[in-house]
Amino acid sequence: MKIIQAQLVAALAVLTTVAPMTAMGDAGRFQFVFGSVEVVDKDGNVRAVKRGSRVEEGDTIRTANRASAQLKMVDGAALAVRSQTEIRIDNYSFNDEEKEDKSFFSLVRGALRSITGLIGKSKRGNVRVSTTTATIGIRGSDADIGHNPITGLSAVRTLSGGHSITSPDANGQPVTLHTNAGQIAVASPGQSPAFARIFPSFAGNAVPRTGDAGGDTDSSSGGGDGQSGQGDG
């Protein structure tokens, strides 16, 4: 298992350092595809993908059972999409003179690993992953993120850097929890986010690992950093 994790780290490191090759409108490219992986565009058209296939804003990426994929975004960010996962590129722009740099994703189900690129380094508040339960702010870092649409459970495991997870409490008030390297936080519907020692299994593909208890909890009027009222991204 340690060997496999080391290989994944090395592969993602390459993705984040290779200079982007982009065409107009591209958000990123598939660098690795295993098993059945498809993309659904914003008009509902479905296409199978392979290495080198592109993704755009509005696309939804779906992996089947025992399938996985790795993507490199045009800002150098890397995504490792686990099996039985569905993730949508809600709003993505980079080096566009008419738009602000941003990277907003929605995790519908499953799990992924996210390593931030240039957007996360220069505009931390403009990088985030949202679920129906929580918003995960990504502060120039590396993390596992998961969501179960049946139970509503969302989780983040910080591998390096820092993150925030924001969800409404029982009174509907947003509460934000900050994590550092080695910490895991979870959020369930109607409950404030909390630290956990085990990263939950999502679609049977997340490997449990213990985390460090502790960190800071903030009550805020919205968003992920507990100070500005908006997610860290």
Side-chain angles (χ1 to χ4, degrees), residues 166-176 191-193 218-222:
T166 301
S167 63
D169 62 14
N171 297 317
Q173 296 300 313
V175 177
T176 296
Q191 300 179 23
S192 301
D218 297 326
S219 296
S220 62
S221 58

Side-chain angles (χ1 to χ4, degrees), residues 21 33 52 165 194:
M21 295 183 295
V33 176
I165 181 167

Side-chain angles (χ1 to χ4, degrees), residues 35-220:
S36 178
V37 181
E38 65 183 18
V39 168
V40 183
D41 67 21
K42 58 185 178 182
D43 297 318
N45 301 308
V46 181
R47 64 183 186 272
V49 298
K50 59 182 180 181
R51 181 178 179 180
S53 296
R54 62 189 178 87
V55 290
E56 300 178 350
E57 182 180 271
D59 283 349
T60 296
I61 302 159
R62 295 175 178 169
T63 57
N65 185 33
R66 298 185 179 180
S68 61
Q70 294 176 8
L71 296 94
K72 177 170 66 67
M73 308 306 291
V74 297
D75 72 319
L79 293 175
V81 185
R82 316 299 192 186
S83 71
Q84 298 181 358
T85 293
E86 182 173 345
I87 184 169
R88 183 176 63 249
I89 306 172
D90 293 323
N91 198 331
Y92 188 93
S93 60
F94 179 66
N95 277 348
D96 187 329
E97 294 181 356
E98 298 181 356
K99 297 180 180 180
E100 184 179 16
D101 291 348
K102 60 178 68 70
S103 178
F104 298 159
F105 288 78
S106 286
L107 180 59
V108 180
R109 64 184 175 96
L112 61 90
R113 181 172 178 179
S114 172
I115 299 178
T116 52
L118 295 178
I119 297 176
K121 294 178 181 178
S122 62
K123 295 183 179 295
R124 294 183 177 183
N126 283 4
V127 181
R128 64 173 177 253
V129 176
S130 299
T131 72
T132 55
T133 301
T135 298
I136 292 91
I138 302 173
R139 299 177 284 165
S141 48
D142 179 3
D144 289 322
I145 300 170
H147 177 67
N148 185 328
I150 298 175
T151 63
L153 178 68
S154 295
V156 58
R157 173 169 57 193
T158 298
L159 303 174
S160 67
H163 296 82
S164 63
I165 181 167
T166 301
S167 63
D169 62 14
N171 297 317
Q173 296 300 313
V175 177
T176 296
L177 191 66
H178 297 281
T179 60
N180 297 311
Q183 294 181 324
I184 298 167
V186 298
S188 294
Q191 300 179 23
S192 301
F195 287 103
R197 298 201 63 84
I198 299 294
F199 186 74
S201 176
F202 295 95
N205 55 65
V207 180
R209 188 196 303 178
T210 59
D212 299 328
D216 300 324
T217 306
D218 297 326
S219 296
S220 62

